[in-house]
mmCIF file of all heavy atoms in Angstrom:
data_model
loop_
_atom_site.group_PDB
_atom_site.id
_atom_site.type_symbol
_atom_site.label_atom_id
_atom_site.label_comp_id
_atom_site.label_asym_id
_atom_site.label_seq_id
_atom_site.Cartn_x
_atom_site.Cartn_y
_atom_site.Cartn_z
ATOM 1 N N ALA A 289 0.833 -1.202 0.000
ATOM 2 C CA ALA A 289 0.000 0.000 0.000
ATOM 3 C C ALA A 289 0.870 1.254 0.000
ATOM 4 O O ALA A 289 0.572 2.234 -0.694
ATOM 5 C CB ALA A 289 -0.935 0.002 1.203
ATOM 6 N N GLN A 290 1.953 1.227 0.747
ATOM 7 C CA GLN A 290 2.837 2.387 0.782
ATOM 8 C C GLN A 290 3.537 2.595 -0.563
ATOM 9 O O GLN A 290 3.719 3.728 -0.999
ATOM 10 C CB GLN A 290 3.831 2.262 1.931
ATOM 11 C CG GLN A 290 3.143 2.450 3.276
ATOM 12 C CD GLN A 290 4.027 2.184 4.469
ATOM 13 O OE1 GLN A 290 5.044 1.500 4.372
ATOM 14 N NE2 GLN A 290 3.625 2.711 5.610
ATOM 15 N N ALA A 291 3.904 1.518 -1.238
ATOM 16 C CA ALA A 291 4.495 1.628 -2.574
ATOM 17 C C ALA A 291 3.472 2.194 -3.559
ATOM 18 O O ALA A 291 3.797 3.056 -4.382
ATOM 19 C CB ALA A 291 4.999 0.265 -3.054
ATOM 20 N N LEU A 292 2.242 1.737 -3.460
ATOM 21 C CA LEU A 292 1.171 2.235 -4.318
ATOM 22 C C LEU A 292 0.932 3.720 -4.053
ATOM 23 O O LEU A 292 0.871 4.525 -4.982
ATOM 24 C CB LEU A 292 -0.101 1.423 -4.066
ATOM 25 C CG LEU A 292 -1.291 1.646 -4.984
ATOM 26 C CD1 LEU A 292 -0.962 1.281 -6.419
ATOM 27 C CD2 LEU A 292 -2.476 0.815 -4.496
ATOM 28 N N ALA A 293 0.846 4.088 -2.789
ATOM 29 C CA ALA A 293 0.630 5.493 -2.425
ATOM 30 C C ALA A 293 1.782 6.377 -2.883
ATOM 31 O O ALA A 293 1.565 7.480 -3.400
ATOM 32 C CB ALA A 293 0.436 5.615 -0.914
ATOM 33 N N ALA A 294 3.006 5.910 -2.728
ATOM 34 C CA ALA A 294 4.170 6.692 -3.167
ATOM 35 C C ALA A 294 4.134 6.919 -4.676
ATOM 36 O O ALA A 294 4.477 8.003 -5.161
ATOM 37 C CB ALA A 294 5.463 5.988 -2.757
ATOM 38 N N SER A 295 3.696 5.900 -5.410
ATOM 39 C CA SER A 295 3.596 6.033 -6.863
ATOM 40 C C SER A 295 2.489 7.008 -7.253
ATOM 41 O O SER A 295 2.664 7.822 -8.159
ATOM 42 C CB SER A 295 3.364 4.669 -7.511
ATOM 43 O OG SER A 295 3.384 4.778 -8.909
ATOM 44 N N PHE A 296 1.357 6.940 -6.551
ATOM 45 C CA PHE A 296 0.301 7.920 -6.810
ATOM 46 C C PHE A 296 0.810 9.335 -6.541
ATOM 47 O O PHE A 296 0.606 10.243 -7.340
ATOM 48 C CB PHE A 296 -0.934 7.658 -5.942
ATOM 49 C CG PHE A 296 -1.791 6.524 -6.415
ATOM 50 C CD1 PHE A 296 -2.270 5.587 -5.508
ATOM 51 C CD2 PHE A 296 -2.146 6.390 -7.746
ATOM 52 C CE1 PHE A 296 -3.075 4.548 -5.922
ATOM 53 C CE2 PHE A 296 -2.953 5.344 -8.172
ATOM 54 C CZ PHE A 296 -3.415 4.420 -7.250
ATOM 55 N N LYS A 297 1.494 9.505 -5.440
ATOM 56 C CA LYS A 297 2.016 10.827 -5.076
ATOM 57 C C LYS A 297 2.997 11.332 -6.126
ATOM 58 O O LYS A 297 2.949 12.487 -6.545
ATOM 59 C CB LYS A 297 2.670 10.771 -3.700
ATOM 60 C CG LYS A 297 3.018 12.117 -3.129
ATOM 61 C CD LYS A 297 3.461 12.003 -1.680
ATOM 62 C CE LYS A 297 3.525 13.375 -1.064
ATOM 63 N NZ LYS A 297 3.724 13.309 0.369
ATOM 64 N N ALA A 298 3.893 10.465 -6.579
ATOM 65 C CA ALA A 298 4.886 10.834 -7.587
ATOM 66 C C ALA A 298 4.232 11.220 -8.913
ATOM 67 O O ALA A 298 4.798 12.002 -9.679
ATOM 68 C CB ALA A 298 5.868 9.686 -7.802
ATOM 69 N N ASN A 299 3.042 10.661 -9.157
ATOM 70 C CA ASN A 299 2.318 10.932 -10.405
ATOM 71 C C ASN A 299 1.206 11.957 -10.224
ATOM 72 O O ASN A 299 0.304 12.053 -11.053
ATOM 73 C CB ASN A 299 1.761 9.625 -10.972
ATOM 74 C CG ASN A 299 2.857 8.776 -11.568
ATOM 75 O OD1 ASN A 299 3.412 9.119 -12.599
ATOM 76 N ND2 ASN A 299 3.189 7.684 -10.900
ATOM 77 N N ASN A 300 1.271 12.709 -9.122
ATOM 78 C CA ASN A 300 0.308 13.787 -8.847
ATOM 79 C C ASN A 300 -1.139 13.315 -8.827
ATOM 80 O O ASN A 300 -2.028 14.016 -9.296
ATOM 81 C CB ASN A 300 0.481 14.937 -9.847
ATOM 82 C CG ASN A 300 1.857 15.542 -9.753
ATOM 83 O OD1 ASN A 300 2.333 15.838 -8.665
ATOM 84 N ND2 ASN A 300 2.506 15.718 -10.893
ATOM 85 N N VAL A 301 -1.364 12.130 -8.283
ATOM 86 C CA VAL A 301 -2.717 11.626 -8.065
ATOM 87 C C VAL A 301 -3.054 11.929 -6.609
ATOM 88 O O VAL A 301 -2.318 11.531 -5.706
ATOM 89 C CB VAL A 301 -2.809 10.111 -8.348
ATOM 90 C CG1 VAL A 301 -4.188 9.579 -8.015
ATOM 91 C CG2 VAL A 301 -2.447 9.816 -9.798
ATOM 92 N N ASN A 302 -4.141 12.643 -6.381
ATOM 93 C CA ASN A 302 -4.499 13.085 -5.035
ATOM 94 C C ASN A 302 -5.089 11.970 -4.194
ATOM 95 O O ASN A 302 -6.013 11.284 -4.619
ATOM 96 C CB ASN A 302 -5.497 14.242 -5.106
ATOM 97 C CG ASN A 302 -4.881 15.475 -5.716
ATOM 98 O OD1 ASN A 302 -3.702 15.745 -5.537
ATOM 99 N ND2 ASN A 302 -5.683 16.228 -6.443
ATOM 100 N N MET A 303 -4.538 11.828 -2.994
ATOM 101 C CA MET A 303 -5.070 10.891 -2.013
ATOM 102 C C MET A 303 -5.675 11.710 -0.881
ATOM 103 O O MET A 303 -5.129 12.743 -0.495
ATOM 104 C CB MET A 303 -3.962 9.985 -1.490
ATOM 105 C CG MET A 303 -3.405 9.054 -2.556
ATOM 106 S SD MET A 303 -1.905 8.210 -2.025
ATOM 107 C CE MET A 303 -0.704 9.528 -2.194
ATOM 108 N N VAL A 304 -6.778 11.237 -0.327
ATOM 109 C CA VAL A 304 -7.485 11.994 0.700
ATOM 110 C C VAL A 304 -6.578 12.340 1.870
ATOM 111 O O VAL A 304 -6.547 13.468 2.328
ATOM 112 C CB VAL A 304 -8.747 11.245 1.171
ATOM 113 C CG1 VAL A 304 -9.315 11.850 2.435
ATOM 114 C CG2 VAL A 304 -9.789 11.249 0.052
ATOM 115 N N SER A 305 -5.800 11.403 2.352
ATOM 116 C CA SER A 305 -4.954 11.667 3.518
ATOM 117 C C SER A 305 -3.508 11.962 3.135
ATOM 118 O O SER A 305 -2.656 12.080 4.003
ATOM 119 C CB SER A 305 -4.991 10.476 4.471
ATOM 120 O OG SER A 305 -4.422 9.342 3.836
ATOM 121 N N GLY A 306 -3.232 12.050 1.839
ATOM 122 C CA GLY A 306 -1.868 12.289 1.388
ATOM 123 C C GLY A 306 -1.021 11.031 1.331
ATOM 124 O O GLY A 306 0.135 11.066 0.933
ATOM 125 N N GLY A 307 -1.577 9.902 1.710
ATOM 126 C CA GLY A 307 -0.848 8.634 1.716
ATOM 127 C C GLY A 307 -1.677 7.581 2.421
ATOM 128 O O GLY A 307 -2.900 7.650 2.427
ATOM 129 N N THR A 308 -1.006 6.641 3.073
ATOM 130 C CA THR A 308 -1.722 5.598 3.812
ATOM 131 C C THR A 308 -0.856 5.057 4.924
ATOM 132 O O THR A 308 0.374 5.084 4.837
ATOM 133 C CB THR A 308 -2.160 4.444 2.888
ATOM 134 O OG1 THR A 308 -3.004 3.557 3.614
ATOM 135 C CG2 THR A 308 -0.989 3.682 2.321
ATOM 136 N N ASP A 309 -1.493 4.586 5.973
ATOM 137 C CA ASP A 309 -0.781 3.859 7.022
ATOM 138 C C ASP A 309 -1.436 2.495 7.243
ATOM 139 O O ASP A 309 -1.186 1.826 8.229
ATOM 140 C CB ASP A 309 -0.705 4.662 8.318
ATOM 141 C CG ASP A 309 -2.056 5.091 8.845
ATOM 142 O OD1 ASP A 309 -3.076 4.717 8.239
ATOM 143 O OD2 ASP A 309 -2.095 5.808 9.861
ATOM 144 N N ASN A 310 -2.281 2.096 6.296
ATOM 145 C CA ASN A 310 -2.845 0.749 6.325
ATOM 146 C C ASN A 310 -2.947 0.232 4.891
ATOM 147 O O ASN A 310 -2.265 0.748 4.019
ATOM 148 C CB ASN A 310 -4.201 0.727 7.057
ATOM 149 C CG ASN A 310 -5.236 1.608 6.416
ATOM 150 O OD1 ASN A 310 -5.340 1.707 5.199
ATOM 151 N ND2 ASN A 310 -6.031 2.268 7.240
ATOM 152 N N HIS A 311 -3.767 -0.742 4.645
ATOM 153 C CA HIS A 311 -3.832 -1.379 3.327
ATOM 154 C C HIS A 311 -4.811 -0.709 2.366
ATOM 155 O O HIS A 311 -4.999 -1.198 1.250
ATOM 156 C CB HIS A 311 -4.177 -2.860 3.470
ATOM 157 C CG HIS A 311 -5.569 -3.109 3.975
ATOM 158 N ND1 HIS A 311 -5.908 -2.914 5.294
ATOM 159 C CD2 HIS A 311 -6.689 -3.498 3.342
ATOM 160 C CE1 HIS A 311 -7.190 -3.188 5.442
ATOM 161 N NE2 HIS A 311 -7.688 -3.546 4.270
ATOM 162 N N LEU A 312 -5.410 0.395 2.772
ATOM 163 C CA LEU A 312 -6.391 1.079 1.926
ATOM 164 C C LEU A 312 -5.917 2.462 1.519
ATOM 165 O O LEU A 312 -5.272 3.159 2.298
ATOM 166 C CB LEU A 312 -7.722 1.220 2.674
ATOM 167 C CG LEU A 312 -8.423 -0.079 3.025
ATOM 168 C CD1 LEU A 312 -9.610 0.205 3.938
ATOM 169 C CD2 LEU A 312 -8.869 -0.810 1.769
ATOM 170 N N ILE A 313 -6.286 2.851 0.305
ATOM 171 C CA ILE A 313 -5.981 4.192 -0.209
ATOM 172 C C ILE A 313 -7.277 4.751 -0.780
ATOM 173 O O ILE A 313 -7.988 4.063 -1.519
ATOM 174 C CB ILE A 313 -4.901 4.134 -1.313
ATOM 175 C CG1 ILE A 313 -3.592 3.597 -0.738
ATOM 176 C CG2 ILE A 313 -4.702 5.508 -1.952
ATOM 177 C CD1 ILE A 313 -2.551 3.284 -1.782
ATOM 178 N N LEU A 314 -7.567 5.992 -0.437
ATOM 179 C CA LEU A 314 -8.740 6.673 -0.963
ATOM 180 C C LEU A 314 -8.271 7.801 -1.861
ATOM 181 O O LEU A 314 -7.612 8.737 -1.406
ATOM 182 C CB LEU A 314 -9.599 7.213 0.183
ATOM 183 C CG LEU A 314 -10.904 7.917 -0.187
ATOM 184 C CD1 LEU A 314 -11.813 7.020 -1.022
ATOM 185 C CD2 LEU A 314 -11.619 8.374 1.081
ATOM 186 N N LEU A 315 -8.561 7.676 -3.157
ATOM 187 C CA LEU A 315 -8.169 8.701 -4.118
ATOM 188 C C LEU A 315 -9.246 9.767 -4.224
ATOM 189 O O LEU A 315 -10.439 9.456 -4.248
ATOM 190 C CB LEU A 315 -7.945 8.081 -5.500
ATOM 191 C CG LEU A 315 -6.874 7.014 -5.623
ATOM 192 C CD1 LEU A 315 -6.744 6.582 -7.084
ATOM 193 C CD2 LEU A 315 -5.549 7.488 -5.088
ATOM 194 N N ASP A 316 -8.815 11.011 -4.285
ATOM 195 C CA ASP A 316 -9.698 12.158 -4.472
ATOM 196 C C ASP A 316 -9.657 12.530 -5.945
ATOM 197 O O ASP A 316 -8.638 13.007 -6.443
ATOM 198 C CB ASP A 316 -9.211 13.321 -3.598
ATOM 199 C CG ASP A 316 -10.067 14.558 -3.712
ATOM 200 O OD1 ASP A 316 -10.896 14.647 -4.635
ATOM 201 O OD2 ASP A 316 -9.875 15.460 -2.875
ATOM 202 N N LEU A 317 -10.744 12.301 -6.651
ATOM 203 C CA LEU A 317 -10.792 12.491 -8.101
ATOM 204 C C LEU A 317 -11.264 13.875 -8.523
ATOM 205 O O LEU A 317 -11.332 14.151 -9.728
ATOM 206 C CB LEU A 317 -11.703 11.423 -8.723
ATOM 207 C CG LEU A 317 -11.298 9.973 -8.451
ATOM 208 C CD1 LEU A 317 -12.380 9.030 -8.946
ATOM 209 C CD2 LEU A 317 -9.959 9.664 -9.064
ATOM 210 N N ARG A 318 -11.582 14.739 -7.559
ATOM 211 C CA ARG A 318 -12.040 16.080 -7.931
ATOM 212 C C ARG A 318 -10.985 16.751 -8.808
ATOM 213 O O ARG A 318 -9.794 16.661 -8.550
ATOM 214 C CB ARG A 318 -12.299 16.934 -6.685
ATOM 215 C CG ARG A 318 -13.529 16.492 -5.922
ATOM 216 C CD ARG A 318 -13.709 17.285 -4.672
ATOM 217 N NE ARG A 318 -12.528 17.096 -3.833
ATOM 218 C CZ ARG A 318 -12.324 17.716 -2.676
ATOM 219 N NH1 ARG A 318 -13.201 18.589 -2.229
ATOM 220 N NH2 ARG A 318 -11.236 17.475 -1.979
ATOM 221 N N GLY A 319 -11.447 17.391 -9.861
ATOM 222 C CA GLY A 319 -10.543 18.081 -10.776
ATOM 223 C C GLY A 319 -10.017 17.217 -11.903
ATOM 224 O O GLY A 319 -9.332 17.709 -12.794
ATOM 225 N N THR A 320 -10.322 15.925 -11.892
ATOM 226 C CA THR A 320 -9.835 15.036 -12.954
ATOM 227 C C THR A 320 -10.827 14.912 -14.098
ATOM 228 O O THR A 320 -10.485 14.400 -15.162
ATOM 229 C CB THR A 320 -9.552 13.618 -12.416
ATOM 230 O OG1 THR A 320 -10.789 13.041 -11.973
ATOM 231 C CG2 THR A 320 -8.531 13.631 -11.298
ATOM 232 N N GLY A 321 -12.086 15.311 -13.837
ATOM 233 C CA GLY A 321 -13.114 15.154 -14.860
ATOM 234 C C GLY A 321 -13.754 13.781 -14.856
ATOM 235 O O GLY A 321 -14.550 13.459 -15.732
ATOM 236 N N VAL A 322 -13.410 12.944 -13.884
ATOM 237 C CA VAL A 322 -13.997 11.612 -13.785
ATOM 238 C C VAL A 322 -14.522 11.421 -12.358
ATOM 239 O O VAL A 322 -13.923 11.889 -11.401
ATOM 240 C CB VAL A 322 -12.979 10.508 -14.190
ATOM 241 C CG1 VAL A 322 -11.834 10.407 -13.219
ATOM 242 C CG2 VAL A 322 -13.648 9.163 -14.353
ATOM 243 N N THR A 323 -15.665 10.764 -12.242
ATOM 244 C CA THR A 323 -16.242 10.479 -10.937
ATOM 245 C C THR A 323 -15.772 9.107 -10.449
ATOM 246 O O THR A 323 -15.218 8.309 -11.226
ATOM 247 C CB THR A 323 -17.772 10.468 -10.999
ATOM 248 O OG1 THR A 323 -18.189 9.383 -11.847
ATOM 249 C CG2 THR A 323 -18.317 11.799 -11.507
ATOM 250 N N GLY A 324 -16.044 8.820 -9.191
ATOM 251 C CA GLY A 324 -15.729 7.499 -8.662
ATOM 252 C C GLY A 324 -16.484 6.403 -9.381
ATOM 253 O O GLY A 324 -15.939 5.348 -9.694
ATOM 254 N N LYS A 325 -17.748 6.668 -9.659
ATOM 255 C CA LYS A 325 -18.573 5.687 -10.378
ATOM 256 C C LYS A 325 -17.995 5.386 -11.756
ATOM 257 O O LYS A 325 -17.876 4.225 -12.153
ATOM 258 C CB LYS A 325 -20.005 6.210 -10.505
ATOM 259 C CG LYS A 325 -20.956 5.274 -11.184
ATOM 260 C CD LYS A 325 -22.363 5.862 -11.227
ATOM 261 C CE LYS A 325 -23.327 4.912 -11.900
ATOM 262 N NZ LYS A 325 -24.692 5.467 -11.898
ATOM 263 N N GLU A 326 -17.615 6.442 -12.480
ATOM 264 C CA GLU A 326 -17.060 6.249 -13.824
ATOM 265 C C GLU A 326 -15.719 5.520 -13.770
ATOM 266 O O GLU A 326 -15.465 4.611 -14.559
ATOM 267 C CB GLU A 326 -16.906 7.591 -14.538
ATOM 268 C CG GLU A 326 -16.271 7.479 -15.917
ATOM 269 C CD GLU A 326 -17.064 6.655 -16.924
ATOM 270 O OE1 GLU A 326 -18.292 6.530 -16.783
ATOM 271 O OE2 GLU A 326 -16.441 6.129 -17.864
ATOM 272 N N LEU A 327 -14.853 5.905 -12.832
ATOM 273 C CA LEU A 327 -13.545 5.235 -12.751
ATOM 274 C C LEU A 327 -13.701 3.784 -12.319
ATOM 275 O O LEU A 327 -12.992 2.914 -12.823
ATOM 276 C CB LEU A 327 -12.597 5.988 -11.811
ATOM 277 C CG LEU A 327 -11.175 5.433 -11.749
ATOM 278 C CD1 LEU A 327 -10.542 5.326 -13.140
ATOM 279 C CD2 LEU A 327 -10.308 6.289 -10.839
ATOM 280 N N GLU A 328 -14.643 3.500 -11.434
ATOM 281 C CA GLU A 328 -14.905 2.106 -11.057
ATOM 282 C C GLU A 328 -15.258 1.291 -12.304
ATOM 283 O O GLU A 328 -14.735 0.190 -12.504
ATOM 284 C CB GLU A 328 -16.045 2.043 -10.042
ATOM 285 C CG GLU A 328 -16.406 0.631 -9.626
ATOM 286 C CD GLU A 328 -17.569 0.570 -8.656
ATOM 287 O OE1 GLU A 328 -17.836 1.552 -7.936
ATOM 288 O OE2 GLU A 328 -18.233 -0.490 -8.624
ATOM 289 N N HIS A 329 -16.120 1.826 -13.171
ATOM 290 C CA HIS A 329 -16.498 1.121 -14.400
ATOM 291 C C HIS A 329 -15.313 0.978 -15.358
ATOM 292 O O HIS A 329 -15.130 -0.079 -15.973
ATOM 293 C CB HIS A 329 -17.658 1.827 -15.105
ATOM 294 C CG HIS A 329 -18.961 1.733 -14.368
ATOM 295 N ND1 HIS A 329 -19.537 0.544 -13.997
ATOM 296 C CD2 HIS A 329 -19.787 2.697 -13.913
ATOM 297 C CE1 HIS A 329 -20.660 0.761 -13.357
ATOM 298 N NE2 HIS A 329 -20.846 2.077 -13.287
ATOM 299 N N ARG A 330 -14.529 2.033 -15.491
ATOM 300 C CA ARG A 330 -13.348 1.958 -16.360
ATOM 301 C C ARG A 330 -12.373 0.895 -15.856
ATOM 302 O O ARG A 330 -11.829 0.117 -16.650
ATOM 303 C CB ARG A 330 -12.633 3.310 -16.411
ATOM 304 C CG ARG A 330 -13.373 4.376 -17.166
ATOM 305 C CD ARG A 330 -12.598 5.672 -17.137
ATOM 306 N NE ARG A 330 -13.320 6.774 -17.766
ATOM 307 C CZ ARG A 330 -12.805 7.967 -17.990
ATOM 308 N NH1 ARG A 330 -11.549 8.218 -17.633
ATOM 309 N NH2 ARG A 330 -13.519 8.903 -18.567
ATOM 310 N N LEU A 331 -12.135 0.874 -14.550
ATOM 311 C CA LEU A 331 -11.209 -0.110 -13.988
ATOM 312 C C LEU A 331 -11.749 -1.528 -14.156
ATOM 313 O O LEU A 331 -10.979 -2.449 -14.463
ATOM 314 C CB LEU A 331 -10.909 0.211 -12.523
ATOM 315 C CG LEU A 331 -10.096 1.486 -12.300
ATOM 316 C CD1 LEU A 331 -10.015 1.821 -10.818
ATOM 317 C CD2 LEU A 331 -8.706 1.373 -12.907
ATOM 318 N N ASP A 332 -13.050 -1.713 -13.976
ATOM 319 C CA ASP A 332 -13.648 -3.030 -14.235
ATOM 320 C C ASP A 332 -13.358 -3.469 -15.667
ATOM 321 O O ASP A 332 -13.055 -4.632 -15.919
ATOM 322 C CB ASP A 332 -15.162 -2.999 -14.024
ATOM 323 C CG ASP A 332 -15.569 -3.042 -12.562
ATOM 324 O OD1 ASP A 332 -14.736 -3.371 -11.699
ATOM 325 O OD2 ASP A 332 -16.757 -2.734 -12.289
ATOM 326 N N ALA A 333 -13.426 -2.538 -16.613
ATOM 327 C CA ALA A 333 -13.219 -2.850 -18.029
ATOM 328 C C ALA A 333 -11.791 -3.287 -18.331
ATOM 329 O O ALA A 333 -11.548 -3.952 -19.340
ATOM 330 C CB ALA A 333 -13.589 -1.646 -18.899
ATOM 331 N N VAL A 334 -10.839 -2.918 -17.454
ATOM 332 C CA VAL A 334 -9.440 -3.301 -17.670
ATOM 333 C C VAL A 334 -8.960 -4.310 -16.619
ATOM 334 O O VAL A 334 -7.774 -4.520 -16.433
ATOM 335 C CB VAL A 334 -8.500 -2.073 -17.735
ATOM 336 C CG1 VAL A 334 -8.829 -1.213 -18.941
ATOM 337 C CG2 VAL A 334 -8.546 -1.262 -16.446
ATOM 338 N N ASN A 335 -9.927 -4.924 -15.930
ATOM 339 C CA ASN A 335 -9.650 -6.019 -14.988
ATOM 340 C C ASN A 335 -8.934 -5.581 -13.711
ATOM 341 O O ASN A 335 -8.149 -6.348 -13.149
ATOM 342 C CB ASN A 335 -8.909 -7.157 -15.694
ATOM 343 C CG ASN A 335 -9.670 -7.647 -16.892
ATOM 344 O OD1 ASN A 335 -10.871 -7.900 -16.804
ATOM 345 N ND2 ASN A 335 -9.018 -7.736 -18.035
ATOM 346 N N ILE A 336 -9.214 -4.377 -13.262
ATOM 347 C CA ILE A 336 -8.745 -3.900 -11.960
ATOM 348 C C ILE A 336 -9.986 -3.652 -11.115
ATOM 349 O O ILE A 336 -10.907 -2.956 -11.540
ATOM 350 C CB ILE A 336 -7.924 -2.597 -12.088
ATOM 351 C CG1 ILE A 336 -6.646 -2.845 -12.881
ATOM 352 C CG2 ILE A 336 -7.595 -2.031 -10.704
ATOM 353 C CD1 ILE A 336 -5.837 -1.581 -13.176
#
């Protein structure tokens, strides 16, 4: 999770808490033009 969070941070992907101290990460999608619902569907389409 920390490796994933560090990669998100390096790629300017916003995380709600700025990182993680457990196995979960919450991404803040505001300003990206995509909602959580839409990204969930997109990720399903690519097997994530």
